[in-house]
Amino acid sequence: MGVEKLGEKDPVYEELVNILGDRVSKDPEIRWTYTRDLEGPLTTDLKRLRRLPDYVVLPETTEEVQKIVLIARNYKVPITLESTRISVKGLAVAIRGGIFIDLRRMNRILEIDEENMTATVQPGVTIAQLSCELQKRNMLIPVPGTPATVSVVSNYLGCGWPGGKARMLSIGLGYRSVVGVEMVLPDGTILNTGSKSDVFIGKDFWPHGMGPDLFLLPYKAYGAFGIITKMTVKCTPIEKELKVFWIAYDNIDSAMEAHNRIVRLDLVPNLHLYAGDKYAGYANDTLESHDRMNRAQPEFQIILTLAGTKRQVEYQEKVIRKIAKETGGRIIVDKLPIYQSFIDSHLGMAGSFGAVWSMRYYTSRGGSWTSTPTLPVDKIPDNWKAFSRAILKDPDYGDPNFGRGEFWRSIIVYPVEGGHYVWGVEKGVDLFIQDPKCREMLLRLHKANLEEQAKVGISDPGFIKDWYTGSLGKPFGVHFEVSKKFKKTLDPDNVMQPGYIYP
């Protein structure tokens, strides 16, 4: 396998060229560009990464992807894939060499069905690309908490970030918006999920197929079970009125009381509970201004999207102001007009108009370490307090020359699907990813956080002892072992994305 030695032929390369022509390369300089991801030093310095793929291919159709998969299966060559090159954590680095499938040329919006409010896209279509087309038709898709250049397909099914933060309370996580997929399995079979799998229907409008449901087969599999070549998603009408509302609190208990009361009323399409550093980056362009706002602003804020008719929005605001008063909250935008910059950012997020705010956030400190368990709402205050204890006891974060932990810790609480549970107690700290101490500190803080959580009876179902080992087996036990049987059946030679989820 790989680049041929002098005088030897390379049958894999020859067959790939027969299919793709000049859209296949084994040029070392081109292959080198595929040895790192968006995070750069943190992932590329690890011994298991920075491996050159043997071939880079850029297919444009499902049929080309199918033929590439059959070649890989025939020669037992590993496949690594990526859509819009916005991957992190080494998920799109060819750690076993082989064929790197770059799906960016599969970037067409195949259909926007206005009557059924769905859109069908290829994996190279970005959030921004689809959002712009939908807005022309007075529709939106929820914008995830990532740059607008991420793939709709990979974000909604990979859930690296929750697809659709702006509508998570009413719509749910990103995968809830998926109606159906077309998927090339490791043996070259083309699978359709959802209503399109029924030969008597042949159209995506309902996510569930006949018999045992394969709707979630690709969810969080990161390509291990096959390659998505088309996906149909639900779209949502844009409301006539949109308004973002901010309530400030000084303690997590009062903030969560208000949070729970608003959620249970089913009053608004979405709300987040933010703390500290997490939202300072959205409205600041420099590290210094970011730091000043961290120290000056209230520690907790509930950020709500009000939406509907003008009369509905007025009623929502009236009820929320009453709850804020009864729980000791302060309507911060009434007192500090400077927060309009936050409002503008989140109104864009709420209306699916873009994600410029996230680009600012990713250039700031505080976005480099997170822990995102899924928890019931009653565990949030204890979870935050445990995390705070871990941060404040840390030798680096207790050092004022490095960064004071009380100012550089953050949390986001995303109530999901009517508030029945919370996705993403996303806890961040002050840390540059380029810092040579980064990996050491992340692991130390993660361990300390889990120890503090254990003291108050909180388990962390999102726990991964060491993400970078490429093994998820220990934390998930029987669940993981059963999924390995699916993998063995679909991909007996372990061709698809080896070394990430499955060794």
Side-chain angles (χ1 to χ4, degrees):
M1 184 190 75
V3 179
E4 74 271 19
K5 297 178 180 178
L6 186 64
E8 293 183 358
K9 290 186 176 182
D10 185 344
V12 174
Y13 179 71
E14 290 177 356
E15 291 194 33
L16 290 172
V17 169
N18 287 337
I19 299 168
L20 301 170
D22 62 1
R23 288 180 283 119
V24 55
S25 177
K26 56 181 181 179
D27 183 316
E29 293 185 0
I30 291 176
R31 292 186 290 132
W32 183 256
T33 65
Y34 289 85
T35 60
R36 61 182 293 170
D37 62 16
L38 195 63
E39 285 189 303
L42 183 60
T43 53
T44 55
D45 287 349
L46 302 180
K47 291 181 179 179
R48 83 180 192 94
L49 301 176
R50 208 64 175 178
R51 167 75 184 271
L52 267 71
D54 296 288
Y55 319 93
V56 174
V57 298
L58 290 91
E60 295 178 348
T61 67
T62 299
E63 291 70 26
E64 288 180 346
V65 172
Q66 182 184 39
K67 291 175 182 178
I68 294 166
V69 169
L70 289 172
I71 291 172
R73 179 183 175 91
N74 185 38
Y75 290 96
K76 294 182 172 55
V77 178
I79 286 177
T80 303
L81 60 142
E82 191 170 40
S83 49
T84 59
R85 304 300 308 276
I86 309 292
S87 295
V88 294
K89 308 301 181 190
L91 285 171
V93 178
I95 59 177
R96 304 280 175 85
I99 302 171
F100 193 107
I101 302 179
D102 184 341
L103 296 166
R104 280 181 295 175
R105 292 200 179 195
M106 296 183 69
N107 60 0
R108 292 188 298 133
I109 298 172
L110 301 172
E111 181 186 23
I112 294 178
D113 184 338
E114 296 184 54
E115 186 173 358
N116 292 301
M117 291 193 298
T118 63
T120 302
V121 299
Q122 292 182 310
V125 171
T126 67
I127 293 286
Q129 181 183 351
L130 181 56
S131 292
C132 288
E133 291 302 317
L134 289 175
Q135 287 166 46
K136 298 174 185 177
R137 299 161 174 83
N138 202 41
M139 293 189 293
L140 61 83
I141 55 168
V143 170
T146 50
T149 50
V150 298
S151 162
V152 177
V153 171
S154 62
N155 188 267
Y156 277 38
L157 288 176
C159 206
W161 285 83
K165 287 183 177 178
R167 290 294 187 280
M168 285 178 63
L169 181 59
S170 56
I171 295 177
L173 292 174
Y175 78 92
R176 292 289 196 182
S177 293
V178 177
V179 178
V181 302
E182 177 186 83
M183 181 177 181
V184 179
L185 300 179
D187 66 354
T189 300
I190 297 177
L191 170 71
N192 283 286
T193 67
S195 56
K196 196 172 181 180
S197 64
D198 187 334
V199 295
F200 296 104
I201 298 176
K203 185 174 181 62
D204 285 323
F205 65 90
W206 172 247
H208 305 293
M210 301 175 63
D213 201 348
L214 300 177
F215 165 52
L216 293 180
L217 179 65
Y219 182 53
K220 288 191 177 181
Y222 303 109
F225 295 154
I227 302 173
I228 306 296
T229 52
K230 296 177 187 177
M231 186 171 82
T232 301
V233 296
K234 301 175 188 175
C235 307
T236 303
I238 296 176
E239 293 89 346
K240 293 180 179 180
E241 297 283 332
L242 282 173
K243 185 173 183 178
V244 177
F245 208 66
W246 288 55
I247 314 171
Y249 290 88
D250 293 323
N251 66 81
I252 187 69
D253 297 293
S254 296
M256 279 305 299
E257 179 187 352
H259 168 282
N260 294 342
R261 286 180 61 178
I262 296 169
V263 166
R264 290 164 188 166
L265 287 173
D266 195 21
L267 190 66
V268 295
N270 202 52
L271 74 158
H272 309 156
L273 191 156
Y274 277 21
D277 159 66
K278 178 62 185 178
Y279 51 81
Y282 296 163
N284 291 279
D285 293 319
T286 68
L287 185 60
E288 290 74 19
S289 62
H290 189 151
D291 189 57
R292 285 196 300 271
M293 181 167 280
N294 261 347
R295 294 167 185 267
Q297 64 192 355
E299 186 165 11
F300 301 96
Q301 294 199 37
I302 295 177
I303 305 171
L304 309 101
T305 304
L306 314 184
T309 64
K310 183 177 180 180
R311 185 177 179 185
Q312 285 174 320
V313 170
E314 288 173 349
Y315 174 74
Q316 291 164 7
E317 181 173 342
K318 179 180 177 181
V319 174
I320 289 165
R321 284 184 178 275
K322 181 175 184 291
I323 292 173
K325 183 178 180 180
E326 292 172 351
T327 54
R330 303 183 303 282
I331 311 301
I332 195 167
V333 291
D334 290 349
K335 301 179 182 299
L336 295 173
I338 189 175
Y339 273 76
Q340 187 61 42
S341 57
F342 285 100
I343 297 300
D344 293 341
S345 295
H346 280 266
L347 191 59
M349 184 177 172
S352 197
F353 301 139
V356 175
W357 57 272
S358 62
M359 295 304 291
R360 286 184 174 181
Y361 172 63
Y362 284 117
T363 60
S364 70
R365 301 191 294 179
S368 300
W369 181 77
T370 59
S371 174
T372 54
T374 303
L375 292 172
V377 292
D378 64 318
K379 295 292 185 182
I380 301 302
D382 285 342
N383 186 283
W384 168 252
K385 294 169 186 176
F387 171 66
S388 297
R389 288 192 295 271
I391 290 295
L392 297 177
K393 291 193 301 184
D394 186 83
D396 284 306
Y397 288 102
D399 179 0
N401 293 321
F402 179 83
R404 298 294 294 274
E406 65 265 37
F407 297 121
W408 284 98
R409 54 199 168 123
S410 66
I411 184 174
I412 303 184
V413 176
Y414 300 119
V416 179
E417 296 166 15
H420 288 93
Y421 63 97
V422 170
W423 193 101
V425 184
E426 179 188 88
K427 294 165 287 192
V429 294
D430 165 24
L431 183 62
F432 283 115
I433 208 157
Q434 292 82 3
D435 192 318
K437 297 190 298 183
C438 182
R439 178 175 167 78
E440 171 194 341
M441 294 173 61
L442 297 186
L443 294 178
R444 184 181 70 232
L445 285 168
H446 200 41
K447 182 175 184 293
N449 182 47
L450 290 169
E451 290 172 350
E452 290 294 334
Q453 287 183 166
K455 293 177 184 178
V456 292
I458 300 174
S459 61
D460 187 346
F463 167 59
I464 301 172
K465 184 176 182 181
D466 184 354
W467 178 267
Y468 304 102
T469 63
S471 173
L472 303 185
K474 290 183 180 179
F476 297 106
V478 173
H479 179 93
F480 182 71
E481 292 303 315
V482 172
S483 76
K484 283 168 63 177
K485 294 179 181 179
F486 284 105
K487 171 69 171 175
K488 186 67 175 177
T489 300
L490 291 171
D491 187 12
D493 298 316
N494 197 23
V495 168
M496 302 299 303
Q497 294 282 97
Y500 297 101
I501 296 179
Y502 304 97

